[in-house]
Amino acid sequence: MRDMVRRFTAEQITPYAATWDEQHSFPREVYTKMAELGLMGMTTPEEYGGSALSRLSGALIYEELAKGDMATAVGLSVHNMITGSIARFGNEEQRRRWVPHLASGRLLGAFSLSEASAGSDAASLQCRAERREDTYLINGTKLWVTNGGEADIYLLMARTTPGSGSAGVSCFVIEKGTPGFSFGKTERKMGLHSSPTRELIFENCVIPAAQRLGAEGQGFKIALSSLDGGRINIGAVAVGVAQAAFETATRYAGEREQFGRPINTFQAVQFMLADMAMKIEAARLLVYEAAYKLDTGQSSGMYASMAKCFATDIAMEVTTNAVQVLGGAGYVRDYPVERYMRDIKVAQIFEGTNQIQRVVIARSLLANLRQQT
Ligand SMILES: Cc1cc2nc3c(=O)[nH]c(=O)nc-3n(C[C@H](O)[C@H](O)[C@H](O)COP(=O)(O)OP(=O)(O)OC[C@H]3O[C@@H](n4cnc5c(N)ncnc54)[C@H](O)[C@@H]3O)c2cc1C
């Protein structure tokens, strides 16, 4: 799988990534091709058209894709969160209705939890879903939706019980084109330009109660469980971006001469490269460990947070230092390292900021300690 995705990335993604970034264009056709490779339902059971891959295989795949284009790898990760969540939490009718079409790439998915005043404190979300006999009436605005506008299926977290924190949140599957559901502004971002980030607007949007995923009040749990896998994916994406930056810097350092010799003969440059290699390897192993724990049913939430936090912090450092190794050439668009650096910044922010990952890690550590005493 890894070798196949590596070839696919080299042929279908890497040569075009700079243009997609420059033109802010979303390469929908690449998703169709990724579906043909079985990447649109990665961990989904085969009976619903998925590939039933392990999380560890998934990590290898995201790493390879992100070497070519982080935006595409992130869009695919979000899509797979939707396919996986409906396959896992949906009833049989819901699974049959959506999962095979998501896995085949005919439909694209998006995940909508965040709001203007509910980011890190996602449980305070206000978008309202009121039960009316066999339907729900949805009103509110959601922000920051990756694949927003392009996606056909939206996993929406909305409040079914006012004022009851995370226990009052339920999860819904919303189809693009439903009356009362429209799109607001598209964010103008520092990087990740070929990944659309869009606002969703719900104005008296009525959906059948049969589109609720799981029980009323289970929405926050579904969101958090989707994020466990998502965080490992983002860790893998970060390793891929860091590896690509490292390879560019290493090549450049061998070719560029100053003071009559290649810059890779200066110890200051060598140490930057050595630190990059060492830290990427550590991040990679932590991501694989978290994926393995999830695959084998071990308690994995803390490891998913560690993998996401560590790998994205390392990738930020590595891409910044890759720009440094290239000097002025690193700061302009002739080389991809400035794009890697712009793109990776958001990985320290989304799927829970790295401060929130540390909160999750500390909470798990303290709970474990209490159990032992
Ligand atoms: C490009 C992009 C794509 C995104 N895609 C999606 C998506 O598809 N779906 C979706 O639902 N959301 C998405 N998001 C939203 C993302 O998950 C949020 O931006 C993120 O959770 C942080 O929320 P916030 O931006 O409101 O920051 P805030 O929560 O306002 O945080 C601001 C700062 O305060 C810190 N902080 C907050 N609380 C604490 C605390 N308790 N302890 C320590 N520090 C704290 C944060 O770490 C951060 O540094 C996306 C965001 C971006 C930028």
Side-chain angles (χ1 to χ4, degrees):
M1 276 309 271
R2 189 197 58 193
D3 293 347
M4 179 188 76
V5 175
R6 187 174 285 175
R7 271 197 306 278
F8 173 78
T9 303
E11 286 164 15
Q12 307 281 345
I13 295 182
T14 310
Y16 310 103
T19 309
W20 297 334
D21 173 68
E22 199 79 35
Q23 298 177 349
H24 292 230
S25 61
F26 178 75
R28 184 69 173 88
E29 68 287 355
V30 172
Y31 286 80
T32 309
K33 290 177 189 163
M34 290 194 290
E36 285 163 14
L37 301 182
L39 306 185
M40 296 283 269
M42 259 192 237
T43 55
T44 307
E46 284 170 347
E47 61 171 312
Y48 301 107
S51 303
L53 294 176
S54 65
R55 289 281 171 187
L56 188 52
S57 302
L60 295 172
I61 290 167
Y62 287 114
E63 192 179 324
E64 290 304 323
L65 290 171
K67 283 186 198 166
D69 184 32
M70 174 171 160
T72 304
V74 166
L76 184 73
S77 167
V78 168
H79 170 87
N80 270 298
M81 274 167 70
I82 308 313
T83 317
S85 295
I86 301 179
R88 187 155 159 227
F89 296 103
N91 56 35
E92 194 52 24
E93 193 190 322
Q94 293 169 331
R95 287 185 191 141
R96 299 260 165 235
R97 179 170 170 192
W98 290 301
V99 178
H101 302 293
L102 287 160
S104 74
R106 195 176 72 71
L107 298 177
L108 183 70
F111 177 84
S112 180
L113 175 65
S114 306
E115 296 178 3
S117 51
S120 298
D121 184 14
S124 67
L125 63 84
Q126 293 300 321
C127 180
R128 190 79 174 91
E130 281 175 72
R131 183 78 190 236
R132 302 264 167 106
E133 294 177 353
D134 286 344
T135 62
Y136 281 93
L137 175 69
I138 304 183
N139 277 294
T141 303
K142 305 294 280 188
L143 266 193
W144 307 115
V145 180
T146 298
N147 294 345
E150 296 288 341
D152 311 283
I153 297 289
Y154 294 79
L155 209 64
L156 171 76
M157 309 308 145
R159 182 160 298 286
T160 38
T161 315
S164 47
S166 61
V169 175
S170 302
C171 178
F172 300 91
V173 181
I174 315 280
E175 296 182 338
K176 184 178 181 176
T178 305
F181 169 31
S182 60
F183 301 105
K185 66 170 174 170
T186 300
E187 303 298 339
R188 296 170 65 237
K189 307 193 294 290
M190 172 193 286
L192 222 64
H193 289 157
S194 61
S195 163
T197 312
R198 196 104 185 246
E199 183 182 23
L200 311 185
I201 301 168
F202 296 93
E203 291 168 308
N204 295 322
C205 174
V206 179
I207 58 157
Q211 286 180 217
R212 193 190 65 229
L213 203 68
E216 250 195 33
Q218 207 195 345
F220 205 70
K221 276 202 186 119
I222 294 177
L224 289 189
S225 130
S226 311
L227 284 172
D228 265 3
R231 285 171 182 169
I232 295 172
N233 298 349
I234 296 304
V237 165
V239 171
V241 174
Q243 180 69 33
F246 168 72
E247 286 172 13
T248 308
T250 310
R251 257 194 317 273
Y252 186 87
E255 290 160 5
R256 173 73 174 168
E257 293 194 359
Q258 286 294 282
F259 302 96
R261 52 192 178 125
I263 60 167
N264 70 4
T265 58
F266 301 122
Q267 198 180 52
V269 174
Q270 289 173 354
F271 279 14
M272 268 202 274
L273 297 175
D275 277 344
M276 286 182 196
M278 180 168 66
K279 291 175 181 179
I280 292 170
E281 204 53 37
R284 178 178 285 124
L285 292 173
L286 187 52
V287 169
Y288 293 175
E289 174 79 359
Y292 175 76
K293 285 200 183 290
L294 191 56
D295 281 336
T296 50
Q298 301 179 56
S299 169
S300 58
M302 180 177 81
Y303 282 87
S305 287
M306 284 181 171
K308 190 270 185 188
C309 184
F310 187 71
T312 58
D313 281 352
I314 290 305
M316 191 71 243
E317 184 185 323
V318 167
T319 54
T320 306
N321 284 342
V323 169
Q324 194 67 22
V325 169
L326 269 73
Y331 197 68
V332 295
R333 300 204 172 176
D334 298 351
Y335 289 88
V337 286
E338 62 81 32
R339 172 166 57 85
Y340 299 151
M341 184 179 160
R342 281 188 287 112
D343 283 354
I344 202 66
K345 179 62 209 172
V346 75
Q348 294 181 302
I349 297 170
F350 63 16
E351 305 245 357
T353 68
N354 284 5
Q355 286 74 32
I356 293 300
Q357 305 305 330
R358 288 175 168 92
V359 171
V360 173
I361 295 164
R363 203 179 283 152
S364 298
L365 291 174
L366 295 175
N368 288 346
L369 208 64
R370 266 196 296 278
Q371 271 171 13
Q372 284 164 15
T373 51

